[in-house]
Amino acid sequence: DNQWRQVVHGLGASGNALYVDGQLAASSPTSASTFTSQNGALIGRAPAAASPFFNGRLDNVVFYDGALAAPAGGSLYRQGRPG
């Protein structure tokens, strides 16, 4: 849709959640990573996906050293919303 979007993903003791533009888009009770090693992060790539590469632009990628509280997804969107 050629529009700016904010995506926030959190994983912690209460599960994981994906927010798009401040709204909860998906969640699950999974509370820990299923990766067998933690030696990096893939941004814009998911090797197991049918289309493994993100087709678009990424800007302002941020990692936090811990899980964010559930309301943080909406709060981050309101803080960083353009215009």
Side-chain angles (χ1 to χ4, degrees):
D1 66 4
N2 204 28
Q3 297 294 313
W4 180 92
R5 299 283 180 222
Q6 181 190 49
V7 178
V8 174
H9 178 253
L11 174 67
S14 61
N16 79 85
L18 180 73
Y19 291 86
V20 177
D21 293 342
Q23 299 295 314
L24 182 64
S27 65
S28 84
T30 303
S31 60
S33 173
T34 57
F35 294 117
T36 56
S37 65
Q38 302 292 325
N39 59 1
L42 298 175
I43 305 297
R45 181 166 184 257
S51 298
F53 294 98
F54 175 73
N55 184 14
R57 295 179 179 181
L58 297 172
D59 189 20
N60 297 327
V61 176
V62 178
F63 288 91
Y64 293 94
D65 188 22
L68 300 173
S75 176
L76 288 171
Y77 176 69
R78 287 186 296 277
Q79 290 174 18
R81 190 167 184 193

